[in-house]
Structure formats: structure tokens, C-alpha cells
Amino acid sequence: MYAITGVTGKVGGALARSLLAEGLPVRAVLRDAAKAAEWRRRGCDVALAEMDDAASLASAFREAAGVFILPPSEFDPEPGFPEAMRVISAVTAALAEARPGKVVCLSTIGADAPHENLLTQRTLMEQALNGIGLPVTFLRPGWFLENALWDIPSARDEGVLRSFLQPADRPLPMVATQDVGRLAAVLLQENWIGTRVIELEGPVRVSPNDLARAFATVLERPVKVETVPRESWEQIFRSQGTQNPVPRIRMLDGFNEGWIEFRDQGRSAIKGTTTLDSVITNLVAASRSAT
């Protein structure tokens, strides 16, 4: 039995579907009982647990051959990342009690970055799970291509992609969430000793200009990149309701300045197969069907 947290999201869902397609038993770990019926129909065992509740997580992880940890993302953390620390404490305690056969934890590019930023939440999770005495794999994917979802309205309505990633012609390690889920399914079925780090990016690196080109093709209209001046970021983020924009700003700095990167610039990273064009096509199609 493989226990999968975050199963209702893109990565966790892709992982669970991959395991089910191979006829493997899956325990879907959910926080919302209303979403359990779908996964029961797919043939999953279901466990209800909150990611900051060690007791319910331990129950969900018990007797599992492998556990997939997908920590919730906090995009506006308080100083010191207390939200992440509550989850880390609960997950660590639950794994120490349940003692599953192995653990695959979704981490991120930049978990080894030299400066604190939004992704430090994953650094802290890695540090905690390093000490539990179980076989642990940290899966570090690049920037999710599906983040382009937020660019659809401006690309569609104005022909503009406003980019915080800059310069616009600089390719960055990006990857589709379905590639992340598929690789996680493979990793969960492997056997290893101790701790290992697996890096993952897409088949080619992607620049903001590449994103704009893909949108232009799918939307059948010109789309240009406008880079957002850094001096305006804090005001923009605060106007959107962000209370503590510094971690997000520093994450963007890390990508733009090059200190958020894979260990050898991705030369040894596993390469996914899902293309930028297919992701943008699917995102735009989904946005049209939702209107």
C-alpha cells in the first residue's frame, strides 16, 4: 500500500493515477471528506488527515510500503515560517511513529539555496526528514509550467505576459506537474538506503519569451513579454494582500540572479517528456471550458 498525501492536487493526483494504472494499492490521504468518494471509486483506500496533525497522519501512514509527502505551500509565510514548521513537526512525528517502508518527499529546486527565500520551507522539511532513520528521497522539481495559469487573462485579453522572471530571454528549469507525479510513482517503487536527492526538469529549459510564444500560438494572437520592474514588486504583492512579501521577492531574485539552480545546472537532472506547448494548450482549453 502506498499512502499519498496531496492526492487532490496535480502532482499527487498524477502520482496516484500512475500507481493505480499499474494495479498497485493506493491509500489516498485527504483532508476533505467530501472529496473521498472520487478516490474510492478509483479503487483507493481513503484516510482523512490534516498535514499538521501528527496523530491522523500516523494512522494514515501505518503499514504503508511507501509514503509520498506533499507539503502544503504557504505563499505568504510569517517570519520564521511557523506554518511550515507545524507541518514539518507533524509529518516528522507521524513518520517516526508509523515507520513506513520508505518516503518520497516533494521538495523543490532551491532547497539547497544559500539565501533564505520562499523555498526555504522545503529546506527545513529536508533537514527534518534527514534525521528520521528511514529511506527518504527528496524529489526536487524545477519551476512548475502550470504556474502560467495566472498569465492566461493578460495574455488572452491584452496580448501581454507580465514576467517577474527576467531577463525575458533567459531559459530556466521548468517542468510539468504530470512529469513530477509520474517520476514520483517510479521512485516510490524503487528500493534504496539512506537519503537521496533527485532533480527533475522538463525536456528543454523555458524562458518568459518561450512562454509568450506558446501563448501566442495557442491563443492565435501576438503575445509580448513585459518584465515587471523589481522596485515595484513589493507594492504589487502588498496590493494583492500579501503581508510578508520578502520571501517571495527573494525567491524571484534567486531565479533571476542564478543562486536558485540545480547542482550542476541540470546536467545530471532527470528530464521529463511533457512539452511547454502541450501544457499551455491544456491550460488555455481548461480556462475556456470554465467560462
Side-chain angles (χ1 to χ4, degrees), residues 155-156 159 212-223 280 284 288:
R156 179 192 61 219
R213 176 198 54 75
F215 272 120
T217 299
V218 175
L219 295 170
E220 299 181 323
R221 64 160 299 167
V223 178
I280 299 301
V284 171
R288 286 170 173 163

Side-chain angles (χ1 to χ4, degrees), residues 56-283:
S56 62
L57 287 175
S59 178
F61 299 162
R62 199 162 286 121
E63 299 181 358
V67 169
F68 178 70
I69 300 296
L70 197 160
S73 296
E74 177 56 59
F75 296 103
D76 186 16
E78 295 180 16
F81 308 103
E83 307 90 348
M85 293 305 297
R86 286 192 291 270
V87 171
I88 291 166
S89 176
V91 167
T92 303
L95 291 171
E97 178 182 341
R99 311 301 296 176
K102 52 198 164 186
V103 178
V104 173
C105 178
L106 184 65
S107 186
T108 180
I109 185 173
D112 56 352
H115 306 295
E116 184 173 289
N117 67 94
L118 194 65
L119 305 180
T120 300
Q121 298 171 81
R122 299 296 177 262
T123 309
L124 296 169
M125 177 67 85
E126 288 197 13
Q127 291 171 349
L129 295 191
N130 265 325
I132 62 174
L134 292 171
V136 178
T137 292
F138 297 112
L139 173 55
R140 295 181 182 171
W143 183 282
F144 286 168
L145 285 169
E146 283 79 1
N147 290 335
L149 172 68
W150 308 109
D151 298 313
I152 291 176
S154 64
R156 179 192 61 219
D157 301 337
E158 305 172 54
V160 173
L161 189 153
R162 295 182 178 86
S163 180
F164 296 92
L165 297 174
Q166 41 201 259
D169 60 353
R170 183 179 176 214
L172 294 168
M174 300 191 186
V175 67
T177 52
Q178 66 177 352
D179 283 346
V180 182
R182 288 170 182 165
L183 179 57
V186 171
L187 298 175
L188 265 178
Q189 296 175 68
E190 293 178 348
N191 294 310
W192 69 95
I193 297 172
T195 300
R196 61 180 183 170
V197 172
I198 303 293
E199 298 173 331
L200 171 68
E201 59 178 296
V204 296
R205 294 201 163 188
V206 174
S207 70
N209 283 342
D210 294 326
L211 287 166
R213 176 198 54 75
F215 272 120
T217 299
V218 175
L219 295 170
E220 299 181 323
R221 64 160 299 167
V223 178
K224 65 178 182 178
V225 175
E226 290 183 0
T227 55
V228 182
R230 190 189 184 284
E231 59 268 21
S232 68
W233 292 359
E234 181 171 354
Q235 180 181 354
I236 291 170
F237 296 154
R238 289 193 183 277
S239 72
Q240 295 169 346
T242 302
Q243 299 298 311
N244 183 25
V246 173
R248 184 178 176 188
I249 289 172
R250 291 299 286 154
M251 177 190 72
L252 292 166
D253 285 341
F255 281 102
N256 294 339
E257 296 170 7
W259 49 266
I260 290 180
E261 174 58 278
F262 288 133
R263 289 170 295 185
D264 57 1
Q265 289 69 52
R267 287 187 293 274
S268 62
I270 293 175
K271 305 300 188 289
T273 59
T274 303
T275 65
L276 166 64
D277 288 343
S278 67
V279 171
I280 299 301
T281 298
N282 291 336
L283 289 177

